[in-house]
Amino acid sequence: QVQLVESGGGLVQPGGSLRLSCAASGFTFDDYAIGWFRQAPGKEREGVSCISSSDGSTYYRDSVKGRFTISRDNTKNTVYLQMNSLKAEDTAVYYCAAGSDVVAGYRQNEFQYWGQGTQVTVSS
């Protein structure tokens, strides 16, 4: 069956770094764009970043540009989100998702499969 498993979350101080991983199985990974979304307490889930299936093009929301980097390793069916210079406002549950026909990269309804999420807490 389809699985997306996030890992790498945790507690980090402001200014610190984390690398999230999203390991996929049960579908043709190369054919799917992979996105990262996050949901903070009391807020709606929002798109953070996305990487395409074809040419590796990427999307980042404005608030993470220059701090986060998304990458994928198709040999390992895994997508990574390197998060640097973390801020308190990055605190959220981070989800990865897979979509076969993604256009915008931040629209949740373009993604068919979702992981269970990993908690990222940025606090001193």
Side-chain angles (χ1 to χ4, degrees), residues 25-80:
S25 61
F27 61 97
T28 306
F29 183 76
D30 296 14
D31 292 343
Y32 282 72
I34 305 295
W36 285 97
F37 295 79
R38 67 185 180 188
Q39 187 168 23
K43 295 187 176 181
E44 293 187 354
R45 190 160 58 184
E46 61 186 18
V48 176
S49 184
C50 181
I51 187 164
S52 73
S53 60
S54 53
D55 60 3
S57 57
T58 57
Y59 156 80
Y60 297 95
R61 71 179 298 108
D62 285 347
S63 62
V64 308
K65 285 181 181 176
R67 299 189 298 123
F68 290 11
T69 303
I70 191 170
S71 61
R72 65 189 295 160
D73 185 342
N74 288 349
T75 67
K76 297 182 178 179
N77 285 8
T78 301
V79 168
Y80 304 98

